[in-house]
Amino acid sequence: MTVQELPGAGASHRSATPPAWSPRTDPAPLLPDPEPYRVLGTPAAEKLDPELMRRCYAELVRGRRYNAQATALTRQGRLAVYPSTVGQEACEIAAALVLQEQDWLFPSYRDTLAAVARGLDPVQALTLLRGDWHTGYDPREHRIAPLSTPLATQLPHAVGLAHAARLRGDDVVALAMIGDGGTSEGDFHEALNFAAVWQAPVVFLVQNNGFAISVPLAKQTAAPTLAHKAVGYGMPGRLVDGNDIAAVHEVLSEAVRRARSGGGPTLIEAVTYRMEAHTNADDATRYRGDAEVEAWKAHDPVDLLERELTARGVLDAEGIAAAKEAAEQMAAALRERMNADPVILNPMDLFEHVYAEQTGRLREQADMLRAELDAEEQS
């Protein structure tokens, strides 16, 4: 069949107006608000649940003390590295509190506080950061996936688990946490695309803390906000003040309810700030100034909630003191338990669980390591 014989071929077809087209989904409802959503300091704060907010405050205070103690342990040589979440505690705590027992949390390496807030033993949460190659905890016990050091690799895992749970008819929602740097990875795209196409019950929480180590957001993306990326996948995008725990809790709760009811995934960008360095191995003064950090300290998540609750008579001096005392007790217990020497691991165990039957390449590597260990022992 020649071109002229094709149906509709010819000059009249070539000049014809293309048929009318409209998007399959109206993008307007998917777009985030132009400004981050806030509750604290607005009329919406009058409707806050006092009991929930007191719990949030206690968790924020404990989280701040947990960060300080973990950082101190690093300086003492008890941890190999610690990525602090000082300034980001509102995101961490809210992510843990919005989930039901059967739900799953998929944290990044920076989200040990979220894991602790969900009920994980603080020592177990920090085990990986001591240099132990084990996860440090049983992921199934608290339904917390292993801390993910490679950027964004936990997102496809969250989508897969959520999709599988939906196929089985299980009432499970997965909440995946990621930093702004992780949104530059291919796994981010693959996870959001898969989740939206299959309407998986998963919530993506991006903690935009300003930097991917030393790379500012402006050098990662030209999008108006990271939340705007949601519309490209066909899911709602929400933009929220990440230091306002009431706002983060509300937005996450709505997204979790939507996912649980069959509404599909949501992408949430929480605008926050990393008050401290990327890790103890980073010198943040090389890429940001003190004035910038000081400006964000005025928007500290702990102070924001404390001011709101005390002004409304929901929190008094006794409640503040009780929260601080509980945090000190947690820190003292963590300090004492982390003073114990870690279990000495056998480096050869690294090769035991890669494949059911070792490949030739693995056997070669194992022989090389064994030779190095033997030489070190004899020296």
Side-chain angles (χ1 to χ4, degrees):
M1 179 180 290
T2 66
V3 173
Q4 292 298 324
E5 293 172 326
L6 289 172
S12 62
H13 176 72
R14 288 195 297 270
S15 62
T17 302
W21 178 87
S22 61
R24 286 172 292 178
T25 302
D26 180 6
L30 306 180
L31 291 171
D33 294 333
E35 295 293 331
Y37 177 68
R38 295 182 176 88
V39 171
L40 300 179
T42 75
E46 298 177 3
K47 300 179 181 179
L48 291 174
D49 180 349
E51 184 176 349
L52 173 61
M53 288 300 103
R54 281 191 288 266
R55 181 183 179 189
C56 285
Y57 177 75
E59 290 288 352
L60 283 177
V61 172
R62 187 174 78 132
R64 180 61 55 86
R65 188 65 184 89
Y66 167 84
N67 269 309
Q69 186 59 67
T71 298
L73 290 169
T74 306
R75 292 170 179 160
Q76 296 163 7
R78 291 297 179 182
L79 290 178
V81 66
Y82 182 67
S84 173
T85 51
V86 169
Q88 300 178 221
E89 291 96 343
C91 299
E92 300 281 309
I93 300 303
L97 295 186
V98 299
L99 297 177
Q100 296 183 8
E101 183 179 355
Q102 73 273 17
D103 297 331
W104 275 80
L105 179 70
F106 283 79
S108 74
Y109 61 89
R110 192 177 297 280
D111 301 319
T112 56
L113 175 54
V116 170
R118 183 152 167 79
L120 185 62
D121 181 341
V123 172
Q124 291 183 334
L126 294 173
T127 294
L128 181 68
L129 303 176
R130 300 188 81 170
D132 191 323
W133 61 270
H134 295 283
T135 298
Y137 56 89
D138 179 2
R140 294 176 180 82
E141 182 180 357
H142 294 287
R143 301 211 167 197
I144 302 172
L147 297 168
S148 178
T149 301
L151 294 186
T153 57
Q154 74 275 23
L155 268 60
H157 300 162
V159 176
L161 182 142
H163 182 52
R166 184 185 179 203
L167 292 176
R168 292 178 49 159
D170 294 340
D171 179 22
V172 171
V173 172
L175 194 159
M177 304 179 71
I178 186 175
D180 50 290
T183 65
S184 299
E185 296 290 330
D187 293 88
F188 174 80
H189 160 77
E190 293 159 6
L192 268 67
N193 194 59
F194 190 104
V197 169
W198 292 100
Q199 291 291 281
V202 59
V203 176
F204 301 99
L205 173 60
V206 179
Q207 296 179 83
N208 177 6
N209 64 18
F211 294 91
I213 306 182
S214 60
V215 180
L217 186 66
K219 291 188 177 180
Q220 296 182 65
T221 182
T225 69
L226 293 173
H228 275 82
K229 292 180 181 287
V231 69
Y233 299 99
M235 69 176 71
R238 295 296 308 273
L239 185 63
V240 63
D241 183 340
N243 288 18
D244 181 337
I245 193 169
V248 179
H249 188 279
E250 180 181 326
V251 170
L252 281 175
S253 296
E254 290 175 356
V256 169
R257 284 195 297 269
R258 181 175 179 273
R260 198 180 306 281
S261 64
T266 303
L267 173 64
I268 299 168
E269 176 188 356
V271 182
T272 182
Y273 195 77
R274 193 190 73 218
M275 297 287 192
E276 298 185 345
H278 174 68
T279 68
N280 54 295
D282 173 42
D283 180 7
T285 61
R286 298 178 63 182
Y287 53 84
R288 67 184 190 188
D290 292 341
E292 179 180 317
V293 178
E294 288 301 318
W296 274 95
K297 284 183 178 179
H299 198 59
D300 183 284
V302 182
D303 294 342
L304 281 179
L305 186 60
E306 183 176 306
R307 285 199 299 268
E308 183 76 41
L309 298 186
T310 53
R312 295 187 178 278
V314 175
L315 183 69
D316 56 17
E318 184 178 347
I320 293 173
K324 291 181 177 179
E325 176 58 27
E328 287 300 326
Q329 291 178 8
M330 176 278 301
L334 177 59
R335 195 164 52 243
E336 180 179 357
R337 294 173 63 201
M338 290 294 286
N339 278 336
D341 291 332
V343 176
I344 302 300
L345 301 174
N346 181 359
M348 297 306 300
D349 288 347
L350 287 169
F351 303 95
E352 291 299 319
H353 306 292
V354 182
Y355 293 102
E357 183 177 343
Q358 284 191 356
T359 63
R361 179 69 62 85
L362 276 179
R363 286 195 294 272
E364 291 177 8
Q365 294 174 355
D367 290 342
M368 290 175 60
L369 178 58
R370 188 177 295 107
E372 291 179 8
L373 294 173
D374 289 344
E376 183 177 314
E377 186 176 339
Q378 294 172 5
S379 62

